């Protein structure tokens, strides 16, 4: 479910897009994922991680580590993170990932988050479920790659006092050629996952 906070302007998005095109023309360190242009100075691993998080939060919605998260909301991130990233399993229409892998990925997004076993969504044949746990694995309904196009706008050091974030990245989301929103991610470094999330905001075009 996407939360709506309509802000930002098309002028900002257009200005950022022109800056991105200019950066593309200068080249960079490896190709950007999804055929997009990433700000100079980012490694390939950093680019890929930012885009993966942007796609997950595009579905998940805004988040602020200072406000905290409940366990049910955290489990929903497992669905958001894997719904476009798994091959089809033996269960038609669903991808599969082990609970251990899912927990590891969740800890990478929300640093230090541990999901209690009792809080996991179990299989229920009486309901239509987008995700559930069965036999030690999460089954995630396959949604396919979203129709939206994701493009880097900016990534700059972030040094707000009291925040663990060290980078603010902006990713533009377009649908049918029209700017819909800008995803603003405040990120902190993670030794294994490159970046973990501190905050996510949406800026919406008018």
């Amino acid at each position: 479910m996407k939360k709506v906070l309509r802000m930002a302007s098309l002028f900002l998005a257009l200005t950022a897009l022109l800056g991105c095109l200019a950066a593309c023309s200068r080249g960079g360190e490896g190709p950007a994922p999804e055929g997009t242009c990433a700000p100079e100075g980012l490694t390939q691993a950093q680019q890929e991680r930012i885009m993966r998080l942007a796609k997950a939060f595009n579905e998940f919605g805004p988040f602020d580590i200072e406000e905290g998260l409940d366990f049910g909301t955290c489990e929903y991130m497992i669905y958001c993170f894997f719904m476009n990233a798994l091959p089809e399993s033996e269960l038609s229409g669903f991808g599969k990932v082990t609970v251990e892998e899912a927990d590891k990925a969740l800890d990478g997004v929300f640093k230090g988050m541990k999901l209690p076993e009792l809080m996991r969504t179990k299989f229920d044949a009486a309901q239509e479920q987008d995700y559930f746990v069965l036999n030690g694995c999460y089954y995630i309904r396959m949604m396919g790659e979203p129709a939206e196009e994701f493009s880097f706008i900016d990534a700059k050091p972030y040094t707000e006092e009291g925040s663990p974030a060290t980078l603010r990245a902006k990713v533009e989301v377009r649908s049918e050629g029209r700017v819909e929103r800008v995803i603003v991610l405040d990120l902190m470094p993670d030794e294994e996952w490159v970046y973990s999330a501190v905050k996510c905001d949406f800026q919406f075009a008018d």
Side-chain angles (χ1 to χ4, degrees):
M1 177 181 289
K2 299 174 183 175
K3 301 180 182 178
V4 180
L5 303 171
R6 295 208 168 265
M7 297 172 59
S9 67
L10 286 173
F11 176 76
L12 174 63
L14 179 59
T15 302
L17 179 60
L18 291 174
C20 183
L21 291 174
C24 280
S25 67
R26 294 192 298 270
E29 184 177 340
E34 306 295 324
T36 64
C37 174
E40 293 179 353
L42 291 180
T43 67
Q44 183 71 12
Q46 289 170 329
Q47 295 172 39
E48 291 175 353
R49 180 60 173 174
I50 291 169
M51 293 300 283
R52 182 73 183 274
L53 289 173
K55 289 185 176 183
F57 277 103
N58 186 53
E59 178 69 23
F60 184 84
F63 148 79
D64 190 335
I65 196 170
E66 293 186 358
E67 297 178 2
L69 290 167
D70 59 47
F71 291 125
T73 301
C74 285
E75 188 184 36
Y76 179 58
M77 174 51 79
I78 293 175
Y79 165 74
C80 296
F81 191 81
F82 285 106
M83 68 180 191
N84 297 321
L86 297 171
E88 190 169 32
S89 69
E90 73 280 3
L91 181 60
S92 179
F94 285 81
K96 181 172 71 172
V97 62
T98 66
V99 167
E100 290 77 13
E101 289 177 279
D103 284 352
K104 189 175 179 181
L106 181 64
D107 177 63
V109 176
F110 303 128
K111 194 63 183 174
M113 175 57 64
K114 305 296 181 184
L115 191 64
E117 190 64 32
L118 291 176
M119 298 302 298
R120 301 189 194 279
T121 299
K122 304 301 191 294
F123 174 67
D124 184 348
Q127 298 184 37
E128 183 174 340
Q129 297 173 287
D130 286 330
Y131 57 95
F132 56 84
V133 172
L134 182 67
N135 297 328
C137 291
Y138 268 99
Y139 285 82
I140 309 290
R141 188 179 298 278
M142 299 173 64
M143 303 303 293
E145 282 295 320
E148 294 101 335
E149 298 176 357
F150 294 75
S151 302
F152 278 102
I153 292 180
D154 197 12
K156 294 181 179 179
Y158 186 69
T159 57
E160 183 173 308
E161 186 176 352
S163 174
T166 60
L167 184 79
R168 171 165 285 178
K170 296 183 179 181
V171 175
E172 180 184 82
V173 183
R174 286 177 168 262
S175 179
E176 298 181 349
R178 180 182 181 276
V179 177
E180 288 196 340
R181 58 194 161 276
V182 173
I183 302 172
V184 182
L185 293 167
D186 292 348
L187 306 169
M188 61 181 173
D190 181 271
E191 185 174 343
E192 182 172 4
W193 290 91
V194 186
Y195 291 121
S196 294
V198 174
K199 186 176 181 180
C200 173
D201 279 330
F202 287 178
Q203 297 174 340
F204 283 87
D206 293 332

